Amino acid sequence: MNPVYLTDYKRTAFTRAHPKKTELDDFAELPADHLLARLIDNALERNSLDPSQVDDLSIGCALAVREQWSFGGRYPVLESRLGDQCASRQIDQQCGSGMAAIRFSMLNIASGACDIAFAGGYENMTRIPMGPSLFQDGTLTVPPIPADNGKSYAMDTVMNMGLTAERLAAEAGIGRERMDRFALRSHQRAARARDEGLFHREILPIERLDGSRISTDANVRGDTSLERLAELKPAFSETGQVSAGNSSPLTSGAALAVLMSESALKNSGSEPLAKVLGCVDRGVKPELMGQGVVPAVERLLNNAGLRADQIDLWEINEAFSVVPLYAIDRLGLEIDRVNIHGGALALGHPLGATGVRLVGTLAHNLKQTGGRYGVAAACIGGGQGIAMLIDLEF
């Protein structure tokens, strides 16, 4: 298999999404594919790539419905400067969609099928609202689960990610105060990184129709406190532990990674951010989808012949506080190596873009801290986990 390099990564700022109060979302007027097209054109320009050089585009999107349907990934190709020769596709693996897009690009390059591939992801959660309305109008459906297939699922829980987080918290014995403390940590670290300008390296300012430029994540609350978080009512169950404060907020945004083969790296003169060593996904019981990070990471490390204590930094998606906390407990991780500049609890979680952000942010953080190995991982609605290993020694 040919070596694969991550050579570039950018994202938009992540905005606060609200389907019923569109004025709260700075990207309410911009469809997600437009955001990705702007990232693509910027990547072509910054990397001095001719549009005809890019072989492939993979797009992660959790809700590829209505305007987020991309005609097999073609719309961002048509909207950007990419040449018509660029093959494309759209991938739905829910919260793992962006990382799955990187994996597809990685495998294409590793097999010799292409030399330069773009892997992106997007979600505009104001323009494509989540929740019961999509089921009520038939945009999304739930199939009947056969009673005689030897399986039994609590589908009411499965279809509500907050309830799966409640169940995981109860089974793992992870309480409200610990989840709130982790959320506070995320906001404080993200606020400090923002104030130090660390996110400037990865955010491309986006110009709105009125000429204003959006360049700052809107969900970070550096002034929150444990007391304020404790005041929030449970969001999914009257007697539950999961609140809006220890859950990731609705978010809009897009992200893009550039991957190259060794020959493309030499021919383009690009400098690699990281070498992509592998990616693994694993399934778990859907009611406990937050567990998925653990078996995915375990197999990834086993495949690479590495132990958890050999990994310098971790980016574990903060869909809910309980997800990284469960992984920290089960994998025996040092918390100070996990999400060192905060995560989705503070930055936001535009579902299809998050996996790309996790990998790109991880590469930047490893370079900043002088680390070598990093793992990015996410749980996935429906009962899965996905994890990717990168290396800064080439």
Side-chain angles (χ1 to χ4, degrees):
M1 300 289 277
N2 301 322
V4 181
Y5 298 92
L6 172 68
T7 64
D8 194 41
Y9 154 66
K10 283 285 185 182
R11 66 175 176 92
T12 69
F14 288 170
T15 60
R16 181 184 178 189
H18 200 305
K20 296 181 180 178
K21 297 179 180 178
T22 58
E23 69 277 5
L24 297 178
D25 191 344
D26 287 326
F27 288 156
E29 65 188 17
L30 298 175
D33 52 353
H34 291 200
L35 297 175
L36 186 62
R38 296 187 189 187
L39 289 169
I40 290 170
D41 285 346
N42 178 262
L44 291 170
E45 180 180 354
R46 283 186 302 101
N47 292 277
S48 300
L49 293 174
D50 189 293
S52 66
Q53 290 180 279
V54 181
D55 302 305
D56 199 80
L57 170 67
S58 295
I59 301 167
C61 180
L63 282 175
V65 299
R66 298 178 182 168
E67 66 181 29
Q68 288 189 173
W69 178 70
S70 70
F71 204 19
R74 294 314 285 171
Y75 288 166
V77 174
L78 304 180
E79 293 173 46
S80 71
R81 292 175 49 240
L82 282 175
D84 293 338
Q85 84 292 331
C86 182
S88 65
R89 69 208 49 81
Q90 191 167 47
I91 297 171
D92 163 23
Q93 200 173 0
Q94 295 297 286
C95 299
S97 300
M99 204 177 300
I102 295 178
R103 174 183 55 198
F104 197 99
S105 297
M106 174 193 74
L107 293 174
N108 250 357
I109 293 172
S111 69
C114 70
D115 286 307
I116 301 176
F118 284 8
Y122 57 57
E123 216 82 37
N124 189 312
M125 297 175 75
T126 289
R127 297 175 69 96
I128 306 295
M130 298 281 291
S133 64
L134 293 176
F135 293 94
Q136 292 164 2
D137 66 16
T139 301
L140 301 177
T141 61
V142 181
I145 306 300
D148 59 352
N149 67 355
K151 302 178 181 179
S152 177
Y153 302 125
M155 293 305 293
D156 288 347
T157 297
V158 170
M159 302 308 296
N160 185 317
M161 297 303 102
L163 293 180
T164 69
E166 287 283 11
R167 182 168 291 203
L168 179 59
E171 292 208 6
I174 297 174
R176 172 69 183 264
E177 183 179 357
R178 189 178 175 203
M179 289 191 283
D180 284 350
R181 286 189 182 278
F182 191 86
L184 177 63
R185 172 189 186 269
S186 185
H187 281 281
Q188 290 175 336
R189 288 180 173 238
R192 183 165 59 248
R194 176 198 60 197
D195 294 345
E196 293 174 356
L198 296 181
F199 295 138
H200 292 166
R201 63 194 178 188
E202 60 184 75
I203 294 178
L204 174 70
I206 297 293
E207 186 172 312
R208 300 199 309 166
L209 298 181
D210 63 6
S212 61
R213 290 161 66 85
I214 307 304
S215 59
T216 304
D217 298 312
N219 294 297
V220 180
R221 299 288 183 266
D223 61 349
T224 194
S225 66
L226 195 60
E227 291 72 25
R228 289 183 186 178
L229 290 169
E231 290 172 357
L232 297 174
K233 295 180 179 180
F236 304 98
S237 168
E238 290 184 2
T239 59
Q241 305 295 307
V242 179
S243 71
N246 56 47
S247 307
S248 58
L250 294 181
T251 315
S252 298
L256 182 73
V258 178
L259 293 98
M260 293 187 183
S261 67
E262 203 159 46
S263 61
L265 200 65
K266 293 176 181 176
N267 293 335
S268 68
S270 298
E271 291 291 331
L273 290 175
K275 189 174 184 179
V276 185
L277 297 186
C279 185
V280 166
D281 44 16
R282 296 290 284 168
V284 295
K285 197 168 179 63
E287 294 97 324
L288 295 166
M289 66 94 193
Q291 289 183 338
V293 166
V294 172
V297 166
E298 288 174 338
R299 176 164 284 196
L300 178 73
L301 295 180
N302 183 66
N303 289 351
L306 294 171
R307 303 183 310 273
D309 61 9
Q310 293 176 284
I311 305 303
D312 296 293
L313 291 179
W314 301 78
E315 285 290 327
I316 300 176
N317 189 37
E318 298 172 357
F320 303 91
S321 286
V322 68
V323 175
L325 287 173
Y326 179 83
I328 287 167
D329 290 349
R330 292 304 175 102
L331 296 170
L333 308 184
E334 296 179 31
I335 192 170
D336 287 341
R337 294 175 181 244
V338 178
N339 301 356
I340 63 170
H341 297 314
L345 291 165
L347 299 175
H349 179 21
L351 308 177
T354 288
V356 179
R357 184 198 71 78
L358 291 169
V359 176
T361 296
L362 178 64
H364 281 307
N365 291 348
L366 281 168
K367 183 176 181 180
Q368 175 201 350
T369 59
R372 177 179 179 180
Y373 291 119
V375 170
C379 62
I380 298 173
Q384 297 185 79
I386 188 167
M388 182 168 284
L389 175 66
I390 64 173
D391 182 1
L392 260 65
E393 289 192 11
F394 317 123

